[in-house]
Amino acid sequence: MEKYLQYQIEDFAQEQSFINWARDKNKEDIDFWNQWIQDHPTKKDQIEKAKKVVLALQFEEPKNIAQKEDEIWNKIDANNRSSEN
């Protein structure tokens, strides 16, 4: 896509398909970005820097509500058992 030619490091790092490529998560995105990089070697330096940014900013995946609720109840239960001793 031509819009990516105008992108700077921070733009790449915010693009979901680029993030998927950097984290090796989606075959379509991986194939697209590998080909795009091959077709636009002048952007390679920016791509490498943007990939480092993406990998440095890995966040924990949000837990679903049920998992979080179970964790909270387990902590409450553990605290109650500690208080009883």
Side-chain angles (χ1 to χ4, degrees):
M1 293 184 101
E2 294 302 314
K3 74 176 184 175
Y4 298 131
L5 293 174
Q6 306 305 315
Y7 270 31
Q8 300 299 314
I9 294 166
E10 52 277 351
D11 300 315
F12 286 115
Q14 293 177 43
E15 179 73 35
Q16 188 60 53
S17 67
F18 182 86
I19 293 168
N20 290 342
W21 169 80
R23 293 183 178 165
D24 203 27
K25 285 195 171 188
N26 179 298
K27 183 176 176 0
E28 251 180 54
D29 293 333
I30 293 166
D31 292 344
F32 171 81
W33 283 103
N34 285 339
Q35 184 62 52
W36 193 90
I37 294 164
Q38 188 176 351
D39 293 343
H40 303 90
T42 59
K43 294 296 243 180
K44 187 175 182 177
D45 186 51
Q46 285 185 326
I47 293 289
E48 288 175 0
K49 289 177 182 176
K51 183 176 181 179
K52 286 180 184 179
V53 169
V54 168
L55 296 177
L57 296 175
Q58 288 190 3
F59 295 101
E60 183 178 320
E61 294 291 324
K63 298 177 182 177
N64 70 37
I65 300 292
Q67 284 178 307
K68 191 67 175 168
E69 187 176 293
D70 285 344
E71 287 179 13
I72 292 169
W73 281 114
N74 288 337
K75 286 180 184 178
I76 291 170
D77 190 39
N79 283 338
N80 285 340
R81 278 188 252 140
S82 295
S83 298
E84 291 172 358
N85 294 332

